């Protein structure tokens, strides 16, 4: 799976719940909130003042490393 900034938080977490740790470490402590499930990664990053492209890269690097294990 490759994450894009237009994917919903809920969609990402449904595919791999371990991504929640990256989101929380980045400052998105509300990933368990029902409202966040319907937000895109880009919308959530904007609300939290994060660089969405940097976050997408970090998540995709994590998923690629996890897949190669």
């Amino acid at each position: 799976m490759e994450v894009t900034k237009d994917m919903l938080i809920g969609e990402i977490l449904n595919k791999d719940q371990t991504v929640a740790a990256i989101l929380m470490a980045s400052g998105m402590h509300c990933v368990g909130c029902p409202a966040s499930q319907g937000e895109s990664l880009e919308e959530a990053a904007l609300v939290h003042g994060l660089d969405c492209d940097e976050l997408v890269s970090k998540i995709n690097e994590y998923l690629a490393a996890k897949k190669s294990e």
Side-chain angles (χ1 to χ4, degrees):
M1 166 177 92
E2 185 167 323
V3 170
T4 61
K5 62 184 176 183
D6 62 326
M7 291 177 77
L8 300 179
I9 299 288
E11 180 184 1
I12 295 167
L13 295 178
N14 281 337
K15 294 185 183 223
D16 191 325
Q17 292 182 356
T18 64
V19 172
I22 295 172
L23 298 175
M24 291 181 71
S26 297
M28 291 185 190
H29 301 285
C30 59
V31 293
C33 172
S36 72
Q37 303 301 302
E39 282 186 320
S40 72
L41 187 57
E42 184 173 34
E43 291 168 332
L46 180 63
V47 168
H48 290 88
L50 302 171
D51 182 324
C52 187
D53 293 325
E54 189 176 306
L55 185 58
V56 167
S57 292
K58 189 180 297 185
I59 293 170
N60 284 326
E61 286 171 17
Y62 165 77
L63 292 172
K66 185 176 172 186
K67 186 177 179 181
S68 68
E69 289 180 351

